[in-house]
Amino acid sequence: MTAESLDGPIEEPLTGRQRRFHPAWTVALVALIALIGAAGFRAAPGVLMVPLEEEFGWSTAELSLSVSINLLLYGLIAPFAAALMQRFGIRAVTVVALFVIGAGAALSVFVATPGQLILTWGVLIGLGTGSMALVFAATITDTWFATRRGLVSGVLTAGSATGQLIFLPVIAAAAEDVGWRGASLIIAGGALAVAPLVWIFLRNRPSDLGVARYGETTPVMAADPVPRGTAAPRGTAWGAAKLAISTLREAARTKTFWALAIGFAICGATTNGLIGTHFIPSAHDHGMATTTAAGLLAVVGVFDIVGTVFSGWLTDRVNPRILLAAYYALRGVSLLFLPSLLSAEVQPSIIVFIVIYGLDWVATVPPTIALCREVFGDKGPLVFGWVFAAHQIGAGIASVLAGIVRDHTGQYTFAWFAAAGLCAVAALVSATIRRHPVSVRE
């Protein structure tokens, strides 16, 4: 392939017989690597909270506030990032996001006050990772694939878990060997190393290469209109913001949107907000070493990959709302047992919890993306961006509240039980979702 073919549409499209390997799979691979590179700092707060508390004497609530802002921005920026990708292209937005993540992680080594931690951990990292959130996976899936969407969204969603698997033990070991500042620099390097790969290989849409989406048989000529799901970048940042807001206004008129948003808010509260942020400090309260607890969360990442990919495969075959109800119910049951499973040593029972929670961690994402696409059509990725914002609002609230519970009671037990009850609510709400398509205007 020539350099010219990478920069714009080729004059003569390659048919399926001429191009045995569809470029959509290359784009998906690069997107997966980008998600892995951006995942490092998402895994870091749980590991670095204990060293920061020991060095500066900050309370769990103060540290949780910066994490909460990170989680909130991580979600709230997602729908605007999706709109920006439609206006300016996936590649440009992704590269900028990776640089913001790297800058935030690198600058965090200079923090000396909780306010500075909020600026680096909270604002910069929140903005960067939010632009690389699961809405990025939804945009790639809808833009490049007409079939195998459940599987692809499952694999891309698992990228975050893979990043956690790769970075978490490294961050924990670095925090012990060279300090938390060295661990932050490792995260910065991981994000920045991926940026050139994204710029070189990630394409904005299939028409850039003169092909249709994977699963579509009609080749795309350079002069052809851009097909459904592959809108060319256009407009301004203000136009992107208006598109995101107008999409929310229209989607919010439907019961399906609110059912998805409520369920996903509870999903965020029980994953990123509680387990992701507070599992390691909670295990430390029971006498478990930080590196051991970090290793357990890494195992969550291993099984998350399996569970999410399998969930994507199931989403192509099973009613997504049934899957969501089952996932939330299973998560709630497992949380009920967690307080009795934590101890100084790793027992078989906690391994069972880790496996179950790992399989269920973000298995909710592929069916949620599928329902957004099915109900809201071309606006599915944007609507999912707002649903994902609800996910992170739930995570942010849970992160702060769990920290307050810990400061006032000396343990996390009430937080785990409350999360189990919320999962029951999510299961009931998900079971009521209707799948009738609705029109969302710009």
Side-chain angles (χ1 to χ4, degrees):
M1 185 178 293
T2 65
E4 290 78 13
S5 67
L6 287 175
D7 293 331
I10 58 179
E11 295 182 359
E12 296 182 1
L14 298 179
T15 65
R17 291 181 180 178
Q18 291 172 304
R19 188 194 293 271
R20 294 184 178 179
F21 185 80
H22 197 285
W25 295 110
T26 300
V27 171
L29 177 61
V30 175
L32 177 63
I33 295 172
L35 286 166
I36 293 172
F41 206 91
R42 291 187 56 211
V47 177
L48 302 185
M49 281 178 70
V50 173
L52 283 166
E53 184 177 0
E54 291 176 349
E55 178 172 337
F56 295 105
W58 299 333
S59 69
T60 304
E62 286 177 315
L63 292 169
S64 298
L65 179 60
S66 62
V67 177
S68 177
I69 292 173
N70 174 294
L71 293 171
L72 288 171
L73 285 176
Y74 178 67
L76 292 175
I77 199 65
F80 297 98
L84 287 171
M85 288 177 187
Q86 289 191 8
R87 300 296 186 181
F88 299 107
I90 299 171
R91 180 172 64 171
V93 174
T94 304
V95 169
V96 171
L98 287 167
F99 274 102
V100 172
I101 294 168
L107 290 173
S108 69
V109 303
F110 301 108
V111 301
T113 67
Q116 293 171 346
L117 190 67
I118 288 173
L119 178 62
T120 54
W121 271 27
V123 177
L124 288 179
I125 299 299
L127 291 174
T129 54
S131 300
M132 291 288 300
L134 298 180
V135 70
F136 171 66
T139 302
I140 290 289
T141 301
D142 275 16
T143 300
W144 281 90
F145 292 85
T147 60
R148 305 287 182 87
R149 284 172 162 179
L151 177 62
V152 174
S153 64
V155 171
L156 292 181
T157 300
S160 296
T162 305
Q164 183 184 58
L165 167 65
I166 292 173
F167 283 108
L168 195 56
V170 175
I171 294 168
E176 286 201 350
D177 294 340
V178 298
W180 64 269
R181 292 178 178 84
S184 295
L185 291 177
I186 291 173
I187 298 164
L192 295 176
V194 178
L197 182 66
V198 170
W199 184 257
I200 294 171
F201 293 106
L202 189 65
R203 301 291 95 190
N204 290 323
R205 57 198 185 278
S207 60
D208 287 351
L209 300 178
V211 298
R213 291 180 297 174
Y214 179 83
E216 290 178 337
T217 57
T218 304
V220 179
M221 299 299 294
D224 284 348
V226 180
R228 175 183 179 274
T230 59
R234 66 190 189 281
T236 64
W238 174 242
K242 289 198 297 183
L243 175 61
I245 293 171
S246 65
T247 300
L248 172 63
R249 186 183 303 115
E250 294 294 328
R253 297 174 181 174
T254 67
K255 292 181 179 179
T256 297
F257 172 80
W258 289 108
L260 290 170
I262 291 170
F264 228 43
I266 293 172
C267 178
T270 53
T271 53
N272 301 100
L274 286 176
I275 297 295
T277 304
H278 293 286
F279 177 81
I280 292 176
S282 180
H284 188 265
D285 287 345
H286 287 77
M288 185 179 292
T290 299
T291 52
T292 302
L296 289 175
L297 275 188
V299 176
V300 168
V302 174
F303 285 95
D304 186 16
I305 298 169
V306 177
T308 308
V309 173
F310 183 59
S311 177
W313 181 84
L314 282 176
T315 300
D316 290 329
R317 294 162 174 81
V318 179
N319 187 328
R321 67 190 180 110
I322 295 176
L323 294 178
L324 285 177
Y327 296 155
Y328 289 130
L330 178 63
R331 185 179 302 177
V333 171
S334 62
L335 281 170
L336 282 175
F337 290 96
L338 179 58
S340 63
L341 303 180
L342 290 170
S343 63
E345 303 295 330
V346 177
Q347 304 293 334
S349 56
I350 193 66
I351 296 296
V352 172
F353 170 85
I354 290 296
V355 170
I356 293 175
Y357 221 83
L359 292 172
D360 193 77
W361 184 266
V362 287
T364 55
V365 174
T368 303
I369 291 176
L371 285 168
C372 287
R373 182 191 310 117
E374 181 177 336
V375 175
F376 299 102
D378 290 347
K379 292 296 189 302
L382 274 175
V383 174
F384 177 73
W386 286 111
V387 172
F388 181 71
H391 182 281
Q392 294 308 114
I393 291 172
I397 294 172
S399 175
V400 170
L401 291 180
I404 294 173
V405 168
R406 167 63 176 78
D407 286 342
H408 282 77
T409 68
Q411 57 186 2
Y412 287 97
T413 301
F414 292 125
W416 303 133
F417 286 159
L422 288 174
C423 286
V425 173
L428 291 173
V429 169
S430 298
T432 65
I433 293 174
R434 295 183 179 182
R435 304 175 64 186
H436 303 302
V438 299
S439 175
V440 179
R441 302 185 300 273
E442 290 194 25

